[in-house]
Amino acid sequence: MTTNEPETMTISMQVALEEEVERLDAAAKASRNRILFLAQSNANLKARVAELEAELAALKPAEMPAKKPKAN
């Protein structure tokens, strides 16, 4: 048995490949979960920005917060 033959695989090579597949699968699941978490956080932040913009638009000019002068 030579390792140059593509169809030849030792048991340790098979185990290593199976472990790598499991590791990659776990990493893919973690990435998907992180993406879902970030998407939900983004949606929550966009909703909060919309709320704050609505509150700001509802303020009367006298209630508007004073703008801070820019420091040059």
Side-chain angles (χ1 to χ4, degrees), residues 66-72:
K67 290 187 178 180
K68 294 181 182 177
K70 290 185 179 179
N72 291 335

Side-chain angles (χ1 to χ4, degrees), residues 10 17 22 38 53 58 63:
T10 65
L17 278 174
E22 289 174 7
L38 291 173
E53 287 175 341
E63 297 173 330

Side-chain angles (χ1 to χ4, degrees), residues 5-62:
E5 298 173 16
E7 66 275 354
T8 303
M9 185 180 296
T10 65
I11 292 174
S12 62
M13 292 168 69
Q14 180 67 33
V15 169
L17 278 174
E18 289 172 359
E19 289 173 350
E20 183 66 4
V21 167
E22 289 174 7
R23 186 189 70 77
L24 291 172
D25 186 51
K29 286 178 184 173
S31 292
R32 280 191 298 271
N33 287 342
R34 183 72 178 150
I35 289 168
L36 292 173
F37 171 79
L38 291 173
Q40 184 62 52
S41 295
N42 189 42
N44 291 343
L45 289 171
K46 284 182 177 182
R48 182 64 180 139
V49 166
E51 290 172 6
L52 291 173
E53 287 175 341
E55 286 179 26
L56 185 60
L59 289 177
K60 295 177 185 167

